[in-house]
Amino acid sequence: MNLYEVIRWGNDADDPFTGGPDGADTCFLVRAGSVEQAAELVDAELRKLKPQRAAAFVEAVYLLGIEQSTEGTPRLLRGPYVQHAHRHGWRHWYRNEEGGAWVERPDTRAGDGQSETA
């Protein structure tokens, strides 16, 4: 199983400065076998939260690494937590609409050690 950070841009806070689609991001730590499986788990969780100000679906997935547990069940490990999602050189996928195809983006700044937001 892989470990993913699964992200919805923004959050549902009412604060005009820190909430909404341009505020800190809604993130989840997920154990799953694929990008699609990780996104499906979080999409189901977002439907329970009934989003009001930000998208109701996952928009980005970052591959953090391989999970070493002997348990093979995909599941949410942490979240939602609200913070700015930074991609620290990890492989990353994006989609523009719910149910849309996941597209992996190449690393445009590989090797420079800089974190980058999508």
Side-chain angles (χ1 to χ4, degrees):
M1 289 268 142
N2 293 320
L3 288 176
Y4 296 99
E5 184 166 58
V6 181
I7 302 143
R8 173 190 60 173
W9 303 132
N11 65 77
D12 284 325
D14 291 330
D15 186 286
F17 300 105
T18 62
D22 295 326
D25 305 308
T26 307
C27 304
F28 297 80
L29 179 63
V30 178
R31 175 179 59 214
S34 68
V35 169
E36 294 81 7
Q37 188 176 56
E40 287 174 17
L41 288 169
V42 175
D43 280 344
E45 190 66 21
L46 288 173
R47 281 191 288 278
K48 290 180 201 172
L49 298 175
K50 298 181 175 118
Q52 302 294 314
R53 298 194 63 215
F57 63 94
V58 171
E59 296 166 284
V61 177
Y62 300 161
L63 174 63
L64 306 183
I66 297 172
E67 203 251 347
Q68 299 296 314
S69 172
T70 57
E71 185 179 337
T73 306
R75 71 181 184 101
L76 298 176
L77 299 173
R78 179 176 181 240
Y81 50 97
V82 177
Q83 66 182 40
H84 292 284
H86 293 279
R87 188 185 57 77
H88 300 281
W90 299 310
R91 288 179 66 189
H92 49 116
W93 293 260
Y94 302 90
R95 67 178 177 184
N96 294 323
E97 58 189 27
E98 188 170 9
W102 287 101
V103 176
E104 184 174 7
R105 287 195 191 154
D107 220 351
T108 58
R109 298 182 343 169
D112 69 2
Q114 298 294 313
S115 66
E116 177 183 313
T117 58

